[in-house]
Amino acid sequence: MTLICRRQFFGVLKLAHRSYSNSALDAATQQTPTDLSANERATLDAALRVDQAGEIAANWIYRGQYFVLGNDVKAGPLIREMWEQEKKHIAVMDQLQLQHRIRPTILSEVAKIAGFGLGAATALISKEAAMACTEAVETEIGEHYDDQLRDLEAFKTEHPSIPLLQAVLREFRDDELEHLDTAVQNDAQRAPAHALLSSAIGAGLCKRF
């Protein structure tokens, strides 16, 4: 699906994160299920902790890319637009971490340093390498979200926070896939040693989070 088609198709669905932007105090946004099994609780905890670390890393990757390419007429606005979406993601992830009483990730500072370094380093190689970085990172994050959505489908609780969480994860996954489309359409696969670069990023930084 092309970037334009994906935006048109998913545009009406991109409402889930707004539940965390209004002032309504309800069970879906303020409470965590108390009837989860031990395995379900462990799955929820691990998923949100990984997601928080991944979104922190993504924010800092774009920060690093923008630091190098922010003044580029073509790449700068693209990176800025994707970065703005990632800022919304981490804001919601921080709220989800508090809502579901998840221990904050201990990888926060590592994610920031590694993310900024990766973003800046690939941007210094070339604009195409920066886009290849985005392609690899967003592929991994999208796959993580798909795995988590499958896990959440098996939850037996009827607590309203779980359907909302599923909607948020679908929305964020689709955002990441838009970023992937953007990277591919902006010459990610023309980066020097594209296959090697993508494999290294996917097997290195992304697997750590």
Side-chain angles (χ1 to χ4, degrees):
M1 186 181 292
T2 67
L3 174 59
I4 293 174
C5 289
R6 196 186 301 281
R7 281 176 171 163
Q8 291 174 339
F9 184 75
F10 291 116
V12 295
L13 300 181
K14 292 192 170 184
L15 303 173
H17 81 276
R18 296 182 188 175
S19 297
Y20 288 91
S21 301
N22 60 40
S23 57
L25 299 178
D26 55 47
T29 60
Q30 301 297 317
Q31 298 176 16
T32 191
T34 58
D35 58 345
L36 298 182
S37 69
N39 285 339
E40 288 172 338
R41 174 53 65 179
T43 296
L44 180 63
D45 287 5
L48 290 179
R49 193 172 299 117
V50 167
D51 290 345
Q52 187 182 40
E55 293 294 353
I56 291 171
N59 267 271
W60 282 79
I61 287 170
Y62 286 118
R63 183 189 290 264
Q65 291 180 345
Y66 195 76
F67 179 79
V68 176
L69 294 172
N71 291 326
D72 185 274
V73 173
K74 184 177 181 181
L78 288 175
I79 293 168
R80 185 77 193 187
E81 180 181 358
M82 293 187 285
W83 186 15
E84 290 301 322
Q85 280 191 315
E86 297 295 349
K87 289 178 182 179
K88 295 175 184 176
H89 291 188
I90 191 58
V92 173
M93 283 299 167
D94 287 347
Q95 289 178 275
L96 285 165
Q97 177 251 316
L98 293 172
Q99 175 187 351
H100 292 286
R101 304 169 192 168
I102 309 299
R103 176 179 55 80
T105 177
I106 61 174
L107 297 174
S108 175
E109 294 307 312
V110 174
K112 291 176 183 178
I113 295 169
F116 185 88
L118 179 62
T122 52
L124 284 168
I125 294 172
S126 68
K127 288 182 286 187
E128 293 79 10
M131 291 297 153
C133 173
T134 296
E135 177 192 12
V137 169
E138 301 296 22
T139 297
E140 291 292 334
I141 294 176
E143 289 175 358
H144 278 303
Y145 280 139
D146 277 335
D147 291 343
Q148 292 165 6
L149 286 165
R150 281 192 291 271
D151 290 340
L152 288 171
E153 285 293 338
F155 277 33
K156 295 180 173 59
T157 183
E158 296 183 358
H159 195 276
S161 65
I162 299 303
L164 177 58
L165 175 60
Q166 290 172 299
V168 168
L169 296 186
R170 289 190 191 99
E171 177 184 334
F172 288 3
R173 176 201 60 194
D174 296 338
D175 286 344
E176 310 302 355
L177 294 178
E178 283 187 8
H179 298 173
L180 191 159
D181 286 343
T182 296
V184 171
Q185 292 176 9
N186 284 273
D187 300 328
Q189 296 177 2
R190 294 184 180 180
H194 171 267
L196 180 61
L197 181 63
S198 297
S199 297
I201 293 170
L205 178 73
C206 294
K207 297 301 183 186
R208 294 177 186 273
F209 303 126

